[in-house]
Amino acid sequence: MLALYPSNKLEHLSYLLATLLKQRPSEVFEPQTILVESPGMQHWLNMALARDRGVAMNLHYPLPVRFMWDTARRILGEDRVPRQSPYRREVLVWRIDGIIQSEAFCGHSVSEPVCRYWQNIGDETQASLQRLEFSTALADVYEQYLLYRPEWIFAWENNELVTQNQQDEAWQAFIWRELVKQNPDHPAKLHAETIERLANDSSAHSLPDNIVVFAINTMAPQLVDFLDALSQHADIHLFHLNPSVNYWGDVKSNKEQAKMLRSEGISQWLDAAQDNPFLGNLGQQGRDLFNLLTPLHSYEIAAFDIEPPQETPQGVQLLHAIQQDILHAQAPDKQFTHHPDDNSVTVVSAHTPLREVEALHDHLLRLLSSHARDDLKPADIVVMCPAIENYAPFIDAVFQRVGTPVEESSD
């Protein structure tokens, strides 16, 4: 059985999950399996369940790739599937490094671009570093291929090329075939065999009775197929964020609309241009997941906030208007009037990362001081950043606690 729980608010998903765990508790000595996409989501969900239930315990939070590997090990057997995959990124880096510096590889005609990249530096230390950086990047690419392009992997193993850029594809395929010679049981192959076994074998394979997938909003088709196959043997409860209550699987981004204008004409473009721009341009990953889940044989329990509050505060009218447009997948109201005191959506420009952090610091202080003590708490604030490591020293300098001594240099 596969059950979908869509909502436009994460708090609603945690409440639905807490209700499910109350109604269908797991066995005393068997932890409840909950798939999450990051340790941060695990921590948030633990705190939410603890607030609702008084305690959060006997919960197992595997990451999706780890869960698929462990489940394949249960189904195909521990002798067939090792505990740790030799195709993990950390292991794959060194395996690739050994292949690209071998004489067998450098003597092949397709390897010339790769060997030229790291051999023409001259200094042996720099060459080793260049080769290691290349191996790290390629290991990351292969890991993505295993999840999102398994058909390429199988084509390469049959000495076939599948893209138009065959010069770069040729040496990638050659390295991959060398990796497969060392160990033929890669995750894509084991995944296909596991799904086939689940489809043809009626036994339960000691699977958990309930498997929960919580707020994983970017799923590879491979994971969706895996969960669909597992749903024939166990109950799969998939809690996912969906920003819109209406169908939005065919919403187009500006880039896609431009291609439509060029290929299909102005009438088709005008029809597509009525979509919500936020959904079209920022929601591609959610749209892809929505389109993957829609054809599955499942039942759905939705929890959307359909109507806005009866009295919208004057200072947040713009934010609520944007939220309602996204919720109903509709174009913005061109008659909407933005009140001058409405600061619910603010765009700030800063000339340096340090100034960005300083502006954020001042903005948060202003928010916390202008709200009542119970109205806004630090736990209600989330700061999102695409590359937080680049801002780490500035955050430490600006947000350093008062009274924390600063380490002085001994020079």
Side-chain angles (χ1 to χ4, degrees):
M1 181 271 294
L2 177 62
L4 303 180
Y5 302 79
S7 177
N8 59 331
K9 287 193 175 181
L10 195 61
E11 295 85 351
H12 294 348
L13 294 183
S14 66
Y15 176 78
L16 286 174
L17 176 57
T19 304
L20 174 69
L21 296 179
K22 288 178 184 178
Q23 295 180 351
R24 303 187 63 177
S26 60
E27 298 293 334
V28 176
F29 297 106
E30 182 179 350
Q32 173 64 57
T33 300
I34 304 177
L35 274 66
V36 293
E37 63 181 350
S38 68
M41 179 56 69
Q42 172 186 340
H43 175 74
W44 184 91
L45 183 57
N46 253 335
M47 298 300 293
L49 292 176
R51 283 193 299 267
D52 185 83
R53 307 174 67 198
V55 64
M57 60 181 295
N58 204 28
L59 304 174
H60 176 49
Y61 291 97
L63 297 178
V65 174
R66 180 77 258 177
F67 172 76
M68 287 196 296
W69 185 264
D70 290 341
T71 305
R73 197 163 185 260
R74 281 187 178 188
I75 295 172
L76 300 180
E78 298 182 359
D79 295 338
R80 175 70 190 284
V81 183
R83 186 174 298 276
Q84 297 293 338
S85 171
Y87 286 87
R88 286 182 301 136
R89 187 185 317 179
E90 299 82 359
V91 178
L92 206 54
V93 169
W94 300 106
R95 294 178 62 197
I96 294 172
D97 185 70
I99 290 174
I100 64 177
Q101 61 179 309
S102 65
E103 294 182 1
F105 176 75
C106 291
H108 201 280
S109 58
V110 300
S111 65
E112 193 272 334
V114 178
C115 295
R116 185 180 68 246
Y117 174 75
W118 66 270
Q119 286 180 343
N120 292 349
I121 295 181
D123 181 73
E124 184 175 348
T125 302
Q126 282 294 105
S128 298
L129 180 60
Q130 190 97 332
R131 190 177 64 245
L132 182 59
E133 291 177 348
F134 173 84
S135 301
T136 302
L138 188 58
D140 182 69
V141 170
Y142 280 151
E143 192 174 59
Q144 299 302 313
Y145 286 164
L146 286 168
L147 279 174
Y148 295 97
R149 293 291 185 269
E151 67 276 9
W152 290 12
I153 296 296
F154 295 126
W156 291 349
E157 293 175 15
N158 293 326
N159 295 312
E160 300 173 0
L161 299 180
V162 293
T163 68
Q164 296 180 351
N165 187 4
Q166 296 191 352
Q167 181 178 2
D168 287 336
E169 185 186 0
W171 58 260
Q172 291 184 52
F174 182 84
I175 295 175
W176 180 259
R177 285 193 291 268
E178 293 299 310
L179 292 169
V180 171
K181 287 179 183 178
Q182 298 172 3
N183 193 312
D185 292 330
H186 53 77
K189 180 179 180 181
L190 295 175
H191 167 79
E193 292 184 10
T194 302
I195 288 183
E196 183 179 359
R197 181 74 63 85
L198 287 171
N200 298 326
D201 192 347
S202 60
S203 59
H205 302 288
S206 302
L207 296 173
D209 293 333
N210 297 310
I211 300 171
V212 173
V213 183
F214 188 85
I216 300 179
N217 299 311
T218 54
M219 289 191 197
Q222 192 180 83
L223 176 58
V224 175
D225 293 341
F226 194 77
L227 294 174
D228 189 34
L230 278 179
S231 66
Q232 307 302 317
H233 302 268
D235 292 340
I236 310 295
H237 302 273
L238 201 158
F239 297 79
H240 68 103
L241 285 170
N242 186 350
S244 177
V245 69
N246 294 330
Y247 177 80
W248 61 289
D250 54 0
V251 171
K252 301 292 189 299
S253 66
N254 289 347
K255 183 177 180 180
E256 292 170 325
Q257 290 177 14
K259 292 181 179 178
M260 183 181 297
L261 174 62
R262 183 177 60 185
S263 61
E264 300 184 23
I266 189 68
S267 59
Q268 294 290 336
W269 177 80
L270 287 174
D271 292 338
Q274 302 306 309
D275 295 325
N276 185 276
F278 279 106
L279 284 176
N281 293 297
L282 302 179
Q284 180 176 351
Q285 291 180 330
R287 182 189 65 187
D288 293 343
L289 177 60
F290 180 81
N291 288 331
L292 286 172
L293 296 178
T294 299
L296 300 181
H297 181 68
S298 62
Y299 72 87
E300 183 176 289
I301 301 176
F304 288 94
D305 269 350
I306 301 297
E307 297 298 332
Q310 295 298 322
E311 295 184 3
T312 302
Q314 192 176 67
V316 295
Q317 289 179 350
L318 176 59
L319 175 62
H320 281 288
I322 294 174
Q323 290 173 331
Q324 289 301 301
D325 290 340
I326 293 175
L327 179 64
H328 297 287
Q330 63 189 13
D333 182 7
K334 296 182 179 181
Q335 305 300 321
F336 178 82
T337 303
H338 182 208
H339 195 276
D341 295 331
D342 189 343
N343 61 352
S344 57
V345 178
T346 305
V347 179
V348 180
S349 176
H351 58 280
T352 64
L354 175 60
R355 185 63 192 128
E356 287 185 62
V357 178
E358 290 174 341
L360 172 64
H361 179 269
D362 295 343
H363 182 66
L364 292 179
L365 285 179
R366 185 166 57 252
L367 281 176
L368 292 170
S369 62
S370 62
H371 285 72
R373 178 171 296 180
D374 296 332
D375 187 26
L376 180 65
K377 301 176 182 178
D380 300 325
I381 298 172
V382 58
V383 178
M384 305 179 69
C385 180
I388 194 66
E389 63 276 4
N390 297 336
Y391 289 81
F394 308 117
I395 294 172
D396 184 59
V398 175
F399 283 84
Q400 188 176 33
R401 294 181 180 178
V402 177
T404 303
V406 179
E407 295 184 4
E408 296 182 358
S409 174
S410 60
D411 295 339

